[in-house]
């Protein structure tokens, strides 16, 4: 699939730290409970660390206690892309940035969280940047 923002691996490696590259471009996962946004309550908008595409609002962020920031919906459905993921012996739905194709995390349904969508977008902190509302 073509993305609005396309770069070579060399260009991504030059722009991202090795840890950012491993998650965003190689679909890695940061360790649980270590990300900078796991417990933050700052009001603002979360964007893709690789390209700046605005993805999630703090208004949809909730405490899932899973070790990663969780949201019950993206800002708009066209901001993210969904990919069926059968790796690691389970069926999951990968969430990518629709603008640059960077890996963000996964979305899960039916876990019983009291959210309006019954979904949990489990997103790597390292995949995001936060623009506080008061900035």
């Amino acid at each position: 699939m073509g993305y609005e923002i396309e770069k070579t691996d060399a260009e991504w490696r030059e722009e991202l730290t090795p840890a950012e590259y491993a998650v965003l471009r190689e679909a890695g996962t940061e360790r649980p409970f270590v990300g900078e946004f796991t417990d933050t309550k700052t009001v603002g908008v979360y964007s893709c660390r690789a390209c700046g595409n605005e993805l999630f609002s703090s208004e949809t962020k909730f405490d899932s206690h899973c070790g990663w920031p969780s949201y019950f919906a993206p800002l708009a459905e066209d901001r993210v892309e969904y990919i069926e993921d059968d790796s690691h012996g389970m069926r999951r739905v990968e969430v990518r940035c629709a603008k640059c194709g960077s890996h963000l995390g996964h979305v899960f349904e039916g876990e019983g969280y009291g959210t309006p969508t019954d979904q949990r977008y489990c997103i790597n902190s390292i995949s995001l940047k936060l623009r506080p509302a008061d900035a």
Side-chain angles (χ1 to χ4, degrees), residues 16-44:
L16 302 169
T17 68
E20 291 167 349
Y21 184 88
V23 173
L24 289 158
R25 305 309 304 168
E26 298 179 318
T29 301
E30 66 188 347
R31 291 187 337 263
F33 302 104
V34 300
E36 70 178 302
F37 303 127
T38 302
D39 297 317
T40 188
K41 305 288 188 218
T42 304
V43 174

Side-chain angles (χ1 to χ4, degrees), residues 131-135:
R131 182 177 41 83
D134 58 4

Side-chain angles (χ1 to χ4, degrees), residues 69-124:
S70 297
Y71 309 84
F72 60 78
L75 279 172
E77 282 299 321
D78 65 348
R79 305 292 176 101
V80 295
E81 173 185 30
Y82 302 100
I83 308 290
E84 290 290 326
D85 177 0
D86 294 324
S87 66
H88 304 292
M90 65 181 92
R91 179 168 220 95
R92 303 183 295 177
V93 177
E94 178 186 2
V95 180
R96 291 186 188 175
C97 173
K99 195 170 187 177
C100 71
S102 289
H103 173 76
L104 304 170
H106 291 85
V107 61
F108 302 95
E109 293 187 62
E111 297 179 313
Y113 289 104
T115 62
T117 63
D118 197 26
Q119 293 180 312
R120 175 174 60 95
Y121 286 77
C122 183
I123 306 298
N124 293 285

Side-chain angles (χ1 to χ4, degrees), residues 13-65:
R13 285 182 189 278
E14 190 174 304
E15 292 180 21
L16 302 169
T17 68
E20 291 167 349
Y21 184 88
V23 173
L24 289 158
R25 305 309 304 168
E26 298 179 318
T29 301
E30 66 188 347
R31 291 187 337 263
F33 302 104
V34 300
E36 70 178 302
F37 303 127
T38 302
D39 297 317
T40 188
K41 305 288 188 218
T42 304
V43 174
V45 173
Y46 293 87
S47 60
C48 175
R49 187 174 296 268
C51 74
N53 185 24
E54 292 185 341
L55 302 166
F56 299 97
S57 167
S58 60
E59 293 175 10
T60 64
K61 190 172 189 290
F62 69 100
D63 291 327
S64 68
H65 308 288

